[in-house]
Each structure stands twice: as structure tokens, then as C-alpha cells.
Amino acid sequence: MGADIWVYIEHAEAAPKKVSLELLSCARSLSTELGGNIVAFVPGSKIDQVIAAVGSRGADIIYAAEHPLLDTYTTDGYAAVLADAVRAESPAIVLVGSTAQGRDLAPRVAARLGAGIVTDCATLAWRDGKVLATRPMYTRKAIGTVRVTGGGPCIAVVLPAMYPLPDADSPRRPEVRRRPVHLDGKAIRTSVREVKSVHRETIPLIEANVIISGGRGMKGPENFAILDDLARALGAAVGSSRPPVDSGWVPHDYEIGQTGKTVSPQVYLACGISGAPQHLAGMSGSKYIVAINKDPNAPMFQVADLGVVGDLFEIIPKLAEAVRKAKSQH
Ligand SMILES: Cc1cc2nc3c(=O)[nH]c(=O)nc-3n(C[C@H](O)[C@H](O)[C@H](O)COP(=O)(O)OP(=O)(O)OC[C@H]3O[C@@H](n4cnc5c(N)ncnc54)[C@H](O)[C@@H]3O)c2cc1C
């Protein structure tokens, strides 16, 4: 087994996902202990723009695995290509972002390689020749430390927003190596006919440093417009608790919590959300929590750094106005 640290670069619309870039920072911290190269693995077809975007973020080498059959993500195609490359090059560890695609891909690659895998990692370290990972457990009530035993490369699936985004102007200029890809179309058992993007007013949750979430206290779908307005002013994303999703007010991918997304932005603004344990499970790792609720006894205030007792319908528009005014003065 070598000492290289690989980062699987997930991308969409010709841009790498933020979590994949964050993993280059994770790889950099591991490399001080491991000493190997940081390798960004970019599969796909027509990936030059992605490679250019990864280029200055601190990778030593970029492996480009290009093939027309990799035009859209399929589990069979991508798992085959990544597993073949890992088998051939034998890195110490492969880092994959904990996204829908990463969670689909990583276990299949691990199974093909007979490799150890650890999922939902918050931090990673390298101790005595093995990977040591911390991961939140029991809806974040405990943090487990996992040591991956066994030889060969290990696959680590890392949560978003755990590592900083590396600077875009690293002096390192990675060497780009084109890997030959051998793919048999018959081995890909699914075909993607169409990809439909959900229209969002604001940036995706997983990419955001600031998230504004609405709960049942929003009272109806039309009122999410005031959260969209504040989000636009702040450059934030909009999410929700489960009731607005169950009531069809917002799409399913807004949901944060035990059965939704896990997020850890710099700032999480909870509007009309009581603070049930199932919601806290998805956002209590946020750096700074602000709660707006008209009930002073709402459990959300117990985890909030800043609590505002009041009517969100009065506060949110005023806040958006104040943000716009402050921005216009700079
Ligand atoms: C197995 C399971 C999984 C679950 N998974 C999830 C999950 O992933 N995510 C999730 O969120 N929930 C989940 N739930 C549901 C969870 O238990 C709660 O029911 C839910 O989180 C409550 O959402 P809420 O806080 O928006 O609504 P409520 O608990 O009804 O709270 C609404 C809040 O809005 C406040 N409010 C009302 N009007 C205003 C106003 N004008 N201004 C300011 N404040 C106002 C109220 O004071 C209240 O605190 C799950 C439940 C189960 C059983």
C-alpha cells in the first residue's frame, strides 16, 4: 500500500462540489502524517473545466478518468472506474464526500476492493499506520472514534463542512495525468434518460455557509418567500424542518434532520422551529445557531447561541432590510 491520499471529486454542471474541495484540506492535514501525494480523482466526460477548478486548490496530482460512458453518474460505471484505479495505484486512503452520490459509490467500491470503509466521518487522522476517524452517533448525542483495521486502502466518507475550503490560489500546480479507462457498456446496468434539476431560489443547502430554515411556524408555502428574500440578501440557503416538507410547502430536499440532511454551516437561523430532537440531529453541529420563536420555552433556545423571542413575520422582513442597508453602505 502506498502513502498517497486520494480525493474523489464529485462534480455537477462542470464544477466540483464544495465538499470535494473541502476534502483537499482534509487530505492536506493527513499528508503531514502520511507524507504521500494528494491526488484528486476526477471521473466523467468533458471534464476540463472541473480539472481547471480543482487545479489550484492544493492537489499534487490530478487523475483524469475520462470516458463517454461516464457522462452521467451511474453506480456501475463510476464504481468500476474508481475501483480499478485504486487497485492499480493502491493509495493509503480514498476520501469521498458524504453526498447522495458519495454514499452510493463508496460502499460499492469498498466491497469490490475488500477494503475497510468508515462513513459519516467528522475528522480523520492517521495513527500508527491506520486511519482514525471520529463520527457523530445516536443523532449526535455521542462521538465515536473508529479505527480502520486490515491492510490495503481504506475508504472514508466525510461529512460536508468539516474541513475548510482550501484557497483557490495555492502555488501548487498539479500534474494532470490522463488515466486510460476501460468500460464495457454492458456492465452498466442502468441508463440515465434524463436529469431534472429542482429549481431553487437560493444556493443548495450543502454548499451554504449560512442556512435559514423555516418550520411549521411559517404557516404556509407562500411565506417561505420572506426566507428566500433574506437568503438572497445574505447569500444563504433555505432549508426546513419536516412539517413543511410533509405538508408539501417546500421540496423534500429542504428537509434537515434525522430523516433529512445533516448540515453544519457557520450560521443556522431557525425560524418557527420548536427544536425537536429529530431536527436537532441534523443541525446541532452548526457553528452559530440563531433561533426566532414566539414561544420563550421552545427547546430550540436551549441550543441557540442567540435567541430572539418574537413573531418571525415581523422580524424576518426587518432583518432582510437591515442586511441590504448594511451592504449598501460598504
Ligand atoms: C422517525 C422520525 C423522524 C423525524 N425526522 C425529522 C427530521 O429529519 N427533521 C425534522 O425537522 N423533524 C423530524 N421529525 C419530526 C419532529 O419530531 C418534529 O415533529 C418536527 O421537527 C417539528 O417541526 P417544527 O419545529 O417545524 O414544528 P413545531 O414543533 O410545530 O414547532 C413550530 C414552532 O413555530 C413557532 N411559531 C409559530 N408561529 C410563529 C411565529 N409567527 N413566529 C415565531 N415562531 C412561531 C412555535 O412557537 C413552535 O415552536 C421526525 C419525527 C419522527 C418520528
Side-chain angles (χ1 to χ4, degrees), residues 214-219 240-246 249 255-261 268 270-283 291-301 308-316:
R216 205 193 314 259
M218 295 306 298
K219 305 214 181 340
S240 77
S241 62
R242 182 156 153 178
V245 172
D246 286 348
W249 299 350
E255 184 178 333
I256 291 165
Q258 190 181 321
T259 43
K261 289 193 169 67
Y268 188 88
C271 309
I273 299 179
S274 59
Q278 295 88 354
H279 186 75
L280 299 185
M283 48 60 71
I292 303 175
N293 200 306
K294 64 180 186 185
D295 173 7
N297 297 315
M300 185 58 90
F301 287 130
V308 184
V309 180
D311 185 345
L312 68 92
F313 296 104
E314 285 174 21
I315 296 164
I316 300 287

Side-chain angles (χ1 to χ4, degrees), residues 103-238:
R103 285 196 299 269
D104 179 58
L105 179 72
R108 288 166 200 262
V109 173
R112 279 173 193 237
L113 298 168
I117 179 167
V118 55
T119 57
D120 289 340
C121 302
T123 65
L124 286 172
W126 187 262
R127 295 279 181 278
D128 305 324
K130 301 281 178 213
V131 173
L132 210 60
T134 61
R135 55 194 302 275
M137 301 163 100
Y138 306 117
T139 61
R140 287 181 180 255
K141 288 192 178 64
I143 302 286
T145 303
V146 179
R147 191 175 145 89
V148 182
T149 56
C154 150
I155 315 277
V157 184
V158 184
L159 294 168
M162 294 295 144
Y163 286 88
L165 202 57
D167 287 342
D169 52 1
S170 150
R172 284 167 206 272
R173 284 287 162 267
E175 179 194 341
V176 179
R177 297 187 193 162
R178 307 260 164 197
R179 285 194 64 83
V181 175
H182 307 288
L183 257 185
D184 178 1
K186 291 198 198 86
I188 301 177
R189 293 167 293 176
T190 47
S191 66
V192 179
R193 299 245 172 110
E194 192 186 358
V195 178
K196 280 189 181 166
S197 337
V198 177
H199 172 73
R200 290 185 73 103
E201 288 289 329
T202 53
I203 55 174
L205 280 178
I206 212 113
E207 308 273 314
N209 288 327
V210 180
I211 293 177
I212 302 166
S213 259
R216 205 193 314 259
M218 295 306 298
K219 305 214 181 340
E222 65 286 355
N223 295 328
F224 270 78
I226 62 170
L227 300 190
D228 289 339
D229 185 46
L230 177 60
R232 270 191 298 270
L234 282 170
V238 176

